Amino acid sequence: MQSQGIWSTLWRKYADYKYNKFERFAVWEMIEPYRRPKTFTALITIYVAAFYTGVIGAAVTEQLYKEKFWEEHPGKTVPLMKPLFYRGPWRVYRGEAIASDASSSQ
């Protein structure tokens, strides 16, 4: 008889646990559509920081290119710098473009 009382107590506790769990989640599911959306501030901050890091990196790279050219050719106009990470065709409308590898070997 004693063991039957323990089992019924355990089943009752388990049923209460399941019901309370369901009740908690049911309430949150009803509230969910009215919650404020998650913020994108952290993501936007990372994108802005990455963009400006790239801008500063490009400026430093171009300045080093100019200084190296001026050391070798003092007083000359610095030609446009060829893009480092772009291997496709490119054209410049105002100014002179550096000849591509394919056209310089001919």
Side-chain angles (χ1 to χ4, degrees), residues 55-91:
V55 168
I56 292 169
V60 168
T61 303
E62 189 172 357
Q63 188 62 34
L64 291 173
Y65 168 77
K66 287 179 180 180
E67 289 175 5
K68 181 180 174 190
F69 183 84
W70 282 329
E71 285 177 4
E72 296 171 0
H73 309 88
K76 300 268 185 171
T77 304
V78 180
L80 291 175
M81 188 173 131
K82 189 173 184 179
L84 295 176
F85 300 111
Y86 178 69
R87 303 283 182 228
W90 63 291
R91 192 177 354 181

Side-chain angles (χ1 to χ4, degrees), residues 3 7 18-19 32 34 49 55 58 69 73 80 84 104:
S3 65
W7 286 115
K18 285 301 244 183
Y19 180 75
E32 186 69 31
Y34 302 102
V55 168
F69 183 84
H73 309 88
L80 291 175
L84 295 176
S104 63

Side-chain angles (χ1 to χ4, degrees), residues 1 3 7 10 12-13 17 19 23 26 30 44-45 48 52 55 58-60 65 67 70-71 85 91 97 101:
M1 289 285 188
S3 65
W7 286 115
L10 285 175
R12 192 178 315 116
K13 286 188 179 222
Y17 162 76
Y19 180 75
E23 209 171 44
M30 290 178 354
I44 291 171
T45 303
V48 167
Y52 282 111
V55 168
V60 168
Y65 168 77
E67 289 175 5
W70 282 329
E71 285 177 4
F85 300 111
R91 192 177 354 181
D101 295 334

Side-chain angles (χ1 to χ4, degrees), residues 25-45:
F25 284 111
V27 168
W28 285 115
E29 286 174 4
M30 290 178 354
I31 293 174
E32 186 69 31
Y34 302 102
R35 272 193 175 164
R36 188 169 49 170
K38 291 184 179 178
T39 179
F40 289 106
T41 305
L43 184 65
I44 291 171
T45 303

Side-chain angles (χ1 to χ4, degrees), residues 5-22:
I6 292 174
W7 286 115
S8 64
T9 305
L10 285 175
W11 278 113
R12 192 178 315 116
K13 286 188 179 222
Y14 179 71
D16 289 344
Y17 162 76
K18 285 301 244 183
Y19 180 75
N20 289 337
K21 184 177 172 185
F22 164 76

